[in-house]
Amino acid sequence: MIDRVSLTGAGGTLATIGLGQWNSIVGIIAGVFTIVYLGIKIAELLKKK
């Protein structure tokens, strides 16, 4: 017979591993958007000069 606490702990561990990957993906996407945004702003500033 399997204990509920054991199942909850195992589920939490699996969820943490799964969410950890999403956290990395979201961080990469945010970094790319930041680079693009700053690139556009720098290009606008260089055009003004």
Side-chain angles (χ1 to χ4, degrees):
M1 193 169 214
I2 299 175
D3 188 18
R4 278 189 164 177
V5 176
S6 299
L7 286 176
T8 304
T13 300
L14 292 174
T16 301
I17 292 169
L19 291 176
Q21 293 173 349
W22 282 105
N23 187 25
S24 298
I25 292 169
V26 170
I28 290 169
I29 291 171
V32 168
F33 281 135
T34 302
I35 290 169
V36 170
Y37 175 77
L38 289 176
I40 292 169
K41 289 298 181 182
I42 291 170
E44 288 176 356
L45 286 174
L46 292 175
K47 283 183 181 179
K48 288 182 180 180
K49 287 187 176 186

